[in-house]
mmCIF file of all heavy atoms in Angstrom:
data_model
loop_
_atom_site.group_PDB
_atom_site.id
_atom_site.type_symbol
_atom_site.label_atom_id
_atom_site.label_comp_id
_atom_site.label_asym_id
_atom_site.label_seq_id
_atom_site.Cartn_x
_atom_site.Cartn_y
_atom_site.Cartn_z
ATOM 1 N N SER A 1 -73.712 -10.425 22.454
ATOM 2 C CA SER A 1 -74.889 -11.203 22.725
ATOM 3 C C SER A 1 -75.573 -10.774 24.023
ATOM 4 O O SER A 1 -76.755 -10.622 24.129
ATOM 5 C CB SER A 1 -74.592 -12.693 22.732
ATOM 6 O OG SER A 1 -74.130 -13.125 21.518
ATOM 7 N N ALA A 2 -74.704 -10.580 25.033
ATOM 8 C CA ALA A 2 -75.236 -10.155 26.336
ATOM 9 C C ALA A 2 -75.763 -8.720 26.247
ATOM 10 O O ALA A 2 -76.793 -8.421 26.849
ATOM 11 C CB ALA A 2 -74.105 -10.216 27.388
ATOM 12 N N ALA A 3 -75.074 -7.844 25.509
ATOM 13 C CA ALA A 3 -75.571 -6.476 25.396
ATOM 14 C C ALA A 3 -76.902 -6.388 24.683
ATOM 15 O O ALA A 3 -77.816 -5.641 25.111
ATOM 16 C CB ALA A 3 -74.542 -5.612 24.653
ATOM 17 N N VAL A 4 -77.069 -7.174 23.653
ATOM 18 C CA VAL A 4 -78.360 -7.220 22.928
ATOM 19 C C VAL A 4 -79.453 -7.820 23.823
ATOM 20 O O VAL A 4 -80.576 -7.331 23.805
ATOM 21 C CB VAL A 4 -78.218 -8.012 21.580
ATOM 22 C CG1 VAL A 4 -79.588 -8.269 20.937
ATOM 23 C CG2 VAL A 4 -77.325 -7.256 20.602
ATOM 24 N N ALA A 5 -79.103 -8.890 24.547
ATOM 25 C CA ALA A 5 -80.080 -9.489 25.470
ATOM 26 C C ALA A 5 -80.547 -8.492 26.525
ATOM 27 O O ALA A 5 -81.716 -8.362 26.854
ATOM 28 C CB ALA A 5 -79.533 -10.701 26.139
ATOM 29 N N LEU A 6 -79.616 -7.710 27.037
ATOM 30 C CA LEU A 6 -79.932 -6.665 28.044
ATOM 31 C C LEU A 6 -80.813 -5.600 27.416
ATOM 32 O O LEU A 6 -81.795 -5.217 28.031
ATOM 33 C CB LEU A 6 -78.670 -6.060 28.574
ATOM 34 C CG LEU A 6 -78.810 -4.953 29.627
ATOM 35 C CD1 LEU A 6 -79.569 -5.467 30.856
ATOM 36 C CD2 LEU A 6 -77.451 -4.413 30.045
ATOM 37 N N GLY A 7 -80.452 -5.152 26.255
ATOM 38 C CA GLY A 7 -81.264 -4.164 25.533
ATOM 39 C C GLY A 7 -82.692 -4.649 25.275
ATOM 40 O O GLY A 7 -83.679 -3.908 25.463
ATOM 41 N N ASP A 8 -82.791 -5.913 24.872
ATOM 42 C CA ASP A 8 -84.100 -6.546 24.641
ATOM 43 C C ASP A 8 -84.888 -6.556 25.915
ATOM 44 O O ASP A 8 -86.078 -6.218 25.912
ATOM 45 C CB ASP A 8 -83.877 -7.902 24.021
ATOM 46 C CG ASP A 8 -85.203 -8.513 23.602
ATOM 47 O OD1 ASP A 8 -85.976 -7.847 22.913
ATOM 48 O OD2 ASP A 8 -85.395 -9.745 23.891
ATOM 49 N N ALA A 9 -84.237 -6.966 26.986
ATOM 50 C CA ALA A 9 -84.937 -7.025 28.307
ATOM 51 C C ALA A 9 -85.424 -5.642 28.747
ATOM 52 O O ALA A 9 -86.449 -5.531 29.450
ATOM 53 C CB ALA A 9 -84.047 -7.636 29.356
ATOM 54 N N LEU A 10 -84.688 -4.629 28.388
ATOM 55 C CA LEU A 10 -85.056 -3.241 28.758
ATOM 56 C C LEU A 10 -86.018 -2.595 27.775
ATOM 57 O O LEU A 10 -86.441 -1.461 27.931
ATOM 58 C CB LEU A 10 -83.779 -2.380 28.848
ATOM 59 C CG LEU A 10 -82.824 -2.744 29.989
ATOM 60 C CD1 LEU A 10 -81.499 -1.984 29.901
ATOM 61 C CD2 LEU A 10 -83.509 -2.450 31.331
ATOM 62 N N GLY A 11 -86.355 -3.342 26.681
ATOM 63 C CA GLY A 11 -87.319 -2.833 25.709
ATOM 64 C C GLY A 11 -86.723 -1.916 24.651
ATOM 65 O O GLY A 11 -87.424 -1.139 24.027
ATOM 66 N N VAL A 12 -85.412 -1.964 24.442
ATOM 67 C CA VAL A 12 -84.748 -1.102 23.435
ATOM 68 C C VAL A 12 -85.030 -1.720 22.088
ATOM 69 O O VAL A 12 -84.842 -2.992 21.869
ATOM 70 C CB VAL A 12 -83.243 -1.022 23.697
ATOM 71 C CG1 VAL A 12 -82.581 -0.212 22.606
ATOM 72 C CG2 VAL A 12 -82.938 -0.458 25.073
ATOM 73 N N PRO A 13 -85.517 -0.966 21.102
ATOM 74 C CA PRO A 13 -85.801 -1.496 19.779
ATOM 75 C C PRO A 13 -84.524 -2.062 19.127
ATOM 76 O O PRO A 13 -83.457 -1.489 19.214
ATOM 77 C CB PRO A 13 -86.351 -0.279 19.003
ATOM 78 C CG PRO A 13 -86.802 0.696 20.027
ATOM 79 C CD PRO A 13 -85.924 0.443 21.226
ATOM 80 N N PRO A 14 -84.657 -3.175 18.416
ATOM 81 C CA PRO A 14 -83.483 -3.796 17.787
ATOM 82 C C PRO A 14 -82.706 -2.854 16.840
ATOM 83 O O PRO A 14 -81.471 -2.895 16.781
ATOM 84 C CB PRO A 14 -84.046 -4.982 16.978
ATOM 85 C CG PRO A 14 -85.328 -5.305 17.693
ATOM 86 C CD PRO A 14 -85.856 -3.981 18.238
ATOM 87 N N LEU A 15 -83.406 -2.037 16.077
ATOM 88 C CA LEU A 15 -82.747 -1.089 15.181
ATOM 89 C C LEU A 15 -81.912 -0.097 15.945
ATOM 90 O O LEU A 15 -80.779 0.211 15.561
ATOM 91 C CB LEU A 15 -83.787 -0.368 14.326
ATOM 92 C CG LEU A 15 -83.195 0.560 13.168
ATOM 93 C CD1 LEU A 15 -82.298 -0.269 12.256
ATOM 94 C CD2 LEU A 15 -84.317 1.197 12.426
ATOM 95 N N ALA A 16 -82.392 0.378 17.081
ATOM 96 C CA ALA A 16 -81.607 1.302 17.913
ATOM 97 C C ALA A 16 -80.359 0.597 18.464
ATOM 98 O O ALA A 16 -79.301 1.201 18.447
ATOM 99 C CB ALA A 16 -82.493 1.807 19.059
ATOM 100 N N MET A 17 -80.508 -0.633 18.889
ATOM 101 C CA MET A 17 -79.300 -1.355 19.370
ATOM 102 C C MET A 17 -78.290 -1.549 18.252
ATOM 103 O O MET A 17 -77.092 -1.365 18.516
ATOM 104 C CB MET A 17 -79.734 -2.699 19.929
ATOM 105 C CG MET A 17 -80.450 -2.615 21.276
ATOM 106 S SD MET A 17 -80.666 -4.239 22.050
ATOM 107 C CE MET A 17 -82.110 -4.827 21.152
ATOM 108 N N ALA A 18 -78.776 -1.897 17.081
ATOM 109 C CA ALA A 18 -77.846 -2.105 15.968
ATOM 110 C C ALA A 18 -77.082 -0.821 15.613
ATOM 111 O O ALA A 18 -75.916 -0.903 15.239
ATOM 112 C CB ALA A 18 -78.604 -2.591 14.743
ATOM 113 N N GLU A 19 -77.739 0.289 15.745
ATOM 114 C CA GLU A 19 -77.081 1.590 15.442
ATOM 115 C C GLU A 19 -76.184 2.059 16.566
ATOM 116 O O GLU A 19 -75.107 2.601 16.330
ATOM 117 C CB GLU A 19 -78.143 2.686 15.179
ATOM 118 C CG GLU A 19 -78.882 2.472 13.861
ATOM 119 C CD GLU A 19 -78.016 2.782 12.635
ATOM 120 O OE1 GLU A 19 -77.193 3.724 12.724
ATOM 121 O OE2 GLU A 19 -78.148 2.123 11.648
ATOM 122 N N LEU A 20 -76.597 1.898 17.814
ATOM 123 C CA LEU A 20 -75.952 2.515 18.909
ATOM 124 C C LEU A 20 -74.907 1.694 19.654
ATOM 125 O O LEU A 20 -73.876 2.236 20.094
ATOM 126 C CB LEU A 20 -76.932 3.014 19.971
ATOM 127 C CG LEU A 20 -77.969 4.076 19.450
ATOM 128 C CD1 LEU A 20 -79.037 4.336 20.500
ATOM 129 C CD2 LEU A 20 -77.235 5.322 19.042
ATOM 130 N N LEU A 21 -75.124 0.379 19.703
ATOM 131 C CA LEU A 21 -74.179 -0.481 20.485
ATOM 132 C C LEU A 21 -72.740 -0.419 19.991
ATOM 133 O O LEU A 21 -71.818 -0.331 20.784
ATOM 134 C CB LEU A 21 -74.679 -1.914 20.570
ATOM 135 C CG LEU A 21 -75.728 -2.164 21.652
ATOM 136 C CD1 LEU A 21 -76.243 -3.617 21.616
ATOM 137 C CD2 LEU A 21 -75.199 -1.877 23.043
ATOM 138 N N PRO A 22 -72.499 -0.518 18.672
ATOM 139 C CA PRO A 22 -71.106 -0.476 18.244
ATOM 140 C C PRO A 22 -70.387 0.833 18.618
ATOM 141 O O PRO A 22 -69.219 0.860 18.994
ATOM 142 C CB PRO A 22 -71.208 -0.640 16.720
ATOM 143 C CG PRO A 22 -72.481 -1.311 16.477
ATOM 144 C CD PRO A 22 -73.391 -0.844 17.574
ATOM 145 N N VAL A 23 -71.119 1.921 18.556
ATOM 146 C CA VAL A 23 -70.516 3.243 18.866
ATOM 147 C C VAL A 23 -70.250 3.305 20.362
ATOM 148 O O VAL A 23 -69.159 3.734 20.795
ATOM 149 C CB VAL A 23 -71.472 4.432 18.432
ATOM 150 C CG1 VAL A 23 -70.935 5.740 18.872
ATOM 151 C CG2 VAL A 23 -71.718 4.366 16.937
ATOM 152 N N ILE A 24 -71.223 2.921 21.164
ATOM 153 C CA ILE A 24 -71.056 2.931 22.648
ATOM 154 C C ILE A 24 -69.904 1.979 23.026
ATOM 155 O O ILE A 24 -69.081 2.338 23.864
ATOM 156 C CB ILE A 24 -72.366 2.519 23.344
ATOM 157 C CG1 ILE A 24 -73.436 3.577 23.030
ATOM 158 C CG2 ILE A 24 -72.159 2.357 24.816
ATOM 159 C CD1 ILE A 24 -74.832 3.130 23.422
ATOM 160 N N GLU A 25 -69.839 0.806 22.417
ATOM 161 C CA GLU A 25 -68.793 -0.157 22.726
ATOM 162 C C GLU A 25 -67.409 0.467 22.486
ATOM 163 O O GLU A 25 -66.495 0.345 23.315
ATOM 164 C CB GLU A 25 -68.954 -1.429 21.887
ATOM 165 C CG GLU A 25 -67.790 -2.400 22.157
ATOM 166 C CD GLU A 25 -67.756 -3.519 21.131
ATOM 167 O OE1 GLU A 25 -68.117 -3.281 19.940
ATOM 168 O OE2 GLU A 25 -67.264 -4.615 21.494
ATOM 169 N N ALA A 26 -67.232 1.079 21.348
ATOM 170 C CA ALA A 26 -65.930 1.638 20.974
ATOM 171 C C ALA A 26 -65.479 2.692 22.013
ATOM 172 O O ALA A 26 -64.312 2.740 22.412
ATOM 173 C CB ALA A 26 -65.978 2.254 19.576
ATOM 174 N N VAL A 27 -66.395 3.570 22.416
ATOM 175 C CA VAL A 27 -66.044 4.634 23.365
ATOM 176 C C VAL A 27 -65.729 3.990 24.728
ATOM 177 O O VAL A 27 -64.714 4.347 25.376
ATOM 178 C CB VAL A 27 -67.176 5.643 23.508
ATOM 179 C CG1 VAL A 27 -66.913 6.630 24.634
ATOM 180 C CG2 VAL A 27 -67.337 6.451 22.185
ATOM 181 N N MET A 28 -66.563 3.082 25.163
ATOM 182 C CA MET A 28 -66.320 2.440 26.467
ATOM 183 C C MET A 28 -65.010 1.647 26.544
ATOM 184 O O MET A 28 -64.283 1.707 27.497
ATOM 185 C CB MET A 28 -67.523 1.562 26.844
ATOM 186 C CG MET A 28 -68.795 2.306 27.159
ATOM 187 S SD MET A 28 -68.640 3.426 28.526
ATOM 188 C CE MET A 28 -68.275 2.296 29.856
ATOM 189 N N VAL A 29 -64.721 0.907 25.468
ATOM 190 C CA VAL A 29 -63.468 0.150 25.444
ATOM 191 C C VAL A 29 -62.264 1.130 25.494
ATOM 192 O O VAL A 29 -61.324 0.891 26.267
ATOM 193 C CB VAL A 29 -63.419 -0.745 24.179
ATOM 194 C CG1 VAL A 29 -62.020 -1.265 23.933
ATOM 195 C CG2 VAL A 29 -64.394 -1.887 24.333
ATOM 196 N N ALA A 30 -62.349 2.187 24.713
ATOM 197 C CA ALA A 30 -61.230 3.152 24.707
ATOM 198 C C ALA A 30 -61.082 3.784 26.101
ATOM 199 O O ALA A 30 -59.936 3.899 26.556
ATOM 200 C CB ALA A 30 -61.505 4.216 23.665
ATOM 201 N N LYS A 31 -62.148 4.156 26.728
ATOM 202 C CA LYS A 31 -62.077 4.770 28.037
ATOM 203 C C LYS A 31 -61.582 3.799 29.144
ATOM 204 O O LYS A 31 -60.799 4.216 30.012
ATOM 205 C CB LYS A 31 -63.418 5.385 28.452
ATOM 206 C CG LYS A 31 -63.817 6.554 27.577
ATOM 207 C CD LYS A 31 -62.815 7.709 27.746
ATOM 208 C CE LYS A 31 -63.161 8.915 26.950
ATOM 209 N NZ LYS A 31 -62.217 9.997 27.158
ATOM 210 N N LEU A 32 -62.059 2.558 29.086
ATOM 211 C CA LEU A 32 -61.608 1.592 30.062
ATOM 212 C C LEU A 32 -60.103 1.353 29.907
ATOM 213 O O LEU A 32 -59.348 1.275 30.878
ATOM 214 C CB LEU A 32 -62.371 0.263 29.903
ATOM 215 C CG LEU A 32 -63.783 0.232 30.439
ATOM 216 C CD1 LEU A 32 -64.518 -1.009 29.943
ATOM 217 C CD2 LEU A 32 -63.764 0.311 31.975
ATOM 218 N N ASN A 33 -59.652 1.178 28.683
ATOM 219 C CA ASN A 33 -58.170 0.986 28.439
ATOM 220 C C ASN A 33 -57.371 2.185 28.896
ATOM 221 O O ASN A 33 -56.287 2.038 29.494
ATOM 222 C CB ASN A 33 -57.932 0.586 27.036
ATOM 223 C CG ASN A 33 -58.379 -0.846 26.719
ATOM 224 O OD1 ASN A 33 -58.244 -1.739 27.565
ATOM 225 N ND2 ASN A 33 -58.876 -1.075 25.541
ATOM 226 N N GLU A 34 -57.900 3.342 28.607
ATOM 227 C CA GLU A 34 -57.222 4.596 28.990
ATOM 228 C C GLU A 34 -57.109 4.659 30.527
ATOM 229 O O GLU A 34 -56.045 4.981 31.079
ATOM 230 C CB GLU A 34 -58.096 5.748 28.500
ATOM 231 C CG GLU A 34 -57.457 7.061 28.379
ATOM 232 C CD GLU A 34 -58.456 8.092 27.794
ATOM 233 O OE1 GLU A 34 -58.635 8.067 26.556
ATOM 234 O OE2 GLU A 34 -59.056 8.822 28.589
ATOM 235 N N GLN A 35 -58.195 4.294 31.226
ATOM 236 C CA GLN A 35 -58.197 4.322 32.658
ATOM 237 C C GLN A 35 -57.222 3.233 33.222
ATOM 238 O O GLN A 35 -56.532 3.518 34.247
ATOM 239 C CB GLN A 35 -59.593 4.023 33.173
ATOM 240 C CG GLN A 35 -59.821 4.291 34.621
ATOM 241 C CD GLN A 35 -61.269 4.181 34.993
ATOM 242 O OE1 GLN A 35 -61.984 3.305 34.491
ATOM 243 N NE2 GLN A 35 -61.688 5.066 35.870
ATOM 244 N N MET A 36 -57.115 2.100 32.615
ATOM 245 C CA MET A 36 -56.230 1.056 33.083
ATOM 246 C C MET A 36 -54.743 1.405 32.921
ATOM 247 O O MET A 36 -53.911 0.944 33.607
ATOM 248 C CB MET A 36 -56.496 -0.264 32.377
ATOM 249 C CG MET A 36 -57.803 -0.869 32.900
ATOM 250 S SD MET A 36 -58.126 -2.592 32.377
ATOM 251 C CE MET A 36 -57.668 -2.652 30.699
ATOM 252 N N GLU A 37 -54.441 2.301 31.937
ATOM 253 C CA GLU A 37 -53.049 2.687 31.685
ATOM 254 C C GLU A 37 -52.578 3.714 32.690
ATOM 255 O O GLU A 37 -51.364 3.877 32.881
ATOM 256 C CB GLU A 37 -52.946 3.273 30.276
ATOM 257 C CG GLU A 37 -53.103 2.231 29.171
ATOM 258 C CD GLU A 37 -53.100 2.841 27.787
ATOM 259 O OE1 GLU A 37 -52.988 4.077 27.680
ATOM 260 O OE2 GLU A 37 -53.220 2.070 26.833
ATOM 261 N N ARG A 38 -53.485 4.421 33.367
ATOM 262 C CA ARG A 38 -53.075 5.398 34.347
ATOM 263 C C ARG A 38 -52.452 4.738 35.538
ATOM 264 O O ARG A 38 -52.877 3.649 35.959
ATOM 265 C CB ARG A 38 -54.277 6.226 34.789
ATOM 266 C CG ARG A 38 -54.821 7.088 33.705
ATOM 267 C CD ARG A 38 -55.856 8.111 34.209
ATOM 268 N NE ARG A 38 -56.487 7.832 35.431
ATOM 269 C CZ ARG A 38 -57.769 8.067 35.685
ATOM 270 N NH1 ARG A 38 -58.487 8.619 34.758
ATOM 271 N NH2 ARG A 38 -58.271 7.776 36.859
ATOM 272 N N PRO A 39 -51.465 5.348 36.146
ATOM 273 C CA PRO A 39 -50.808 4.755 37.328
ATOM 274 C C PRO A 39 -51.764 4.512 38.538
ATOM 275 O O PRO A 39 -51.559 3.599 39.262
ATOM 276 C CB PRO A 39 -49.663 5.726 37.707
ATOM 277 C CG PRO A 39 -49.807 6.854 36.777
ATOM 278 C CD PRO A 39 -50.880 6.576 35.796
#
């Protein structure tokens, strides 16, 4: 909800958000968890 609200505030078309946000989220979550696992 916050990601869509931010995209809307930045003028990102809803169709683009629907297509791109899930992919971006998956990569960012994986990278954040990977980074947290490092000593």
Side-chain angles (χ1 to χ4, degrees):
S1 296
V4 169
L6 179 60
D8 188 46
L10 292 171
V12 178
L15 185 58
M17 286 189 281
E19 289 289 324
L20 298 174
L21 278 176
V23 176
I24 295 168
E25 176 194 30
V27 171
M28 290 299 297
V29 166
K31 292 297 181 180
L32 284 169
N33 286 325
E34 202 176 279
Q35 192 173 38
M36 288 191 317
E37 289 175 0
R38 292 192 337 219

